[in-house]
Amino acid sequence: MNSNTFRRSLAGAAVIAGALTLTACNSDAPNVDSTGSETSTAAPTNPGTGDPTGPTSDESSETSSDNSSENSSDTQSETSSDTETSTGSDDGPTEVTDAKATLKLGQPAVIEKSDDTFRLTPKSMEVAPDSVFSETSLKKSNGTVYFLKFDVTAIKTNSTYFGTNSVNGLFFHPEIDAGVTGAKRVYGRTADCKSDSKKLAPGESGSSCYIYQVPGKTVSNVVYNDSDHQIRWTK
């Protein structure tokens, strides 16, 4: 499949939220970028302050004025550690997968993207039940609705936010034929398609579900494609 087919199709179709339950600032999914570029996510902030989350001044300094030199050393050490890349591991593979690999649904792929390395495991790509049309403003005549359910594990992250929905939905999607037009990603959630929506530290995993509507024949394969990858999963 041409790596730009889905993104071209999406650019020409309306991305419908409808009656889906959306979280504030669309935090439940990455923002649409019809150009296909990766979306950046900002570090979370402390409620009511607008400052990036992290140690407070009370937590990051000693209370004793007699130890001011030690405080300065501690602060420099903390600042240095904040800018370093964090790594972690769990029971899954950590070696980067070949950029042109073909896998079976359920098999993990380790993807290196910018300063982040993560394990992506599509669990299923299933046709949504008819109840999706009563939960949303989607029309059945516009195509089949799919739930793409997957797990993601952070292996190496930089100092910015990385979470369950940091996987760009314009790169990770159903594999469609080159001639298909009108495919779209639907942002939000339904009773049967929800995401954890949480930040992941290295070694931590979360689950997500993306919603797509694709006209034409039923599709069953999944692809992750960007300028560097063309990883496919088949049944």
Side-chain angles (χ1 to χ4, degrees):
M1 184 192 77
N2 187 310
S3 62
N4 292 320
T5 297
F6 183 84
R7 291 191 284 280
R8 287 202 310 269
S9 179
L10 183 57
V15 181
I16 301 174
L20 295 172
T21 303
L22 298 177
T23 57
C25 299
N26 203 19
S27 62
D28 205 43
N31 294 326
V32 178
D33 183 353
S34 61
T35 65
S37 60
E38 189 73 63
T39 300
S40 298
T41 50
T45 58
N46 284 327
T49 68
D51 295 328
T53 55
T56 64
S57 58
D58 290 338
E59 294 170 336
S60 60
S61 62
E62 297 292 336
T63 57
S64 172
S65 60
D66 294 336
N67 296 326
S68 59
S69 61
E70 294 180 6
N71 294 345
S72 176
S73 176
D74 291 342
T75 301
Q76 292 175 357
S77 176
E78 289 176 2
T79 302
S80 175
S81 65
D82 285 343
T83 60
E84 292 177 355
T85 298
S86 299
T87 59
S89 61
D90 60 7
D91 295 334
T94 57
E95 183 176 349
V96 174
T97 301
D98 183 85
K100 304 295 183 182
T102 297
L103 307 170
K104 291 291 186 182
L105 279 173
Q107 289 185 304
V110 176
I111 298 171
E112 191 173 46
K113 184 68 179 174
S114 299
D115 293 328
D116 297 321
T117 303
F118 57 92
R119 184 182 309 114
L120 182 61
T121 309
K123 307 298 289 185
S124 65
M125 220 270 292
E126 58 195 52
V127 175
D130 284 345
S131 59
V132 72
F133 297 107
S134 61
E135 293 183 70
T136 71
S137 60
L138 296 173
K139 296 180 180 180
K140 197 170 185 178
S141 59
N142 289 338
T144 304
V145 178
Y146 298 92
F147 293 160
L148 174 52
K149 298 180 179 180
F150 62 95
D151 292 340
V152 60
T153 302
I155 297 175
K156 182 184 73 174
T157 61
N158 59 22
S159 59
T160 60
Y161 181 90
F162 185 86
T164 50
N165 285 318
S166 292
V167 179
N168 194 319
L170 300 183
F171 297 155
F172 184 49
H173 54 76
E175 185 178 46
I176 62 176
D177 293 336
V180 173
T181 59
K184 53 181 168 273
R185 167 129 184 243
V186 183
Y187 289 86
R189 65 178 72 188
T190 71
D192 297 311
C193 188
K194 300 178 181 179
S195 298
D196 289 342
S197 298
K198 64 181 181 181
K199 182 176 181 179
L200 298 177
E204 292 184 336
S205 300
S207 298
S208 283
C209 180
Y210 289 169
I211 306 172
Y212 298 91
Q213 188 170 32
V214 182
K217 66 180 183 180
T218 302
V219 294
S220 58
N221 297 338
V222 178
V223 63
Y224 182 93
N225 62 44
D226 57 18
S227 58
D228 301 315
H229 302 86
Q230 179 77 18
I231 302 176
R232 303 173 63 246
W233 288 267
T234 62
K235 283 192 173 181

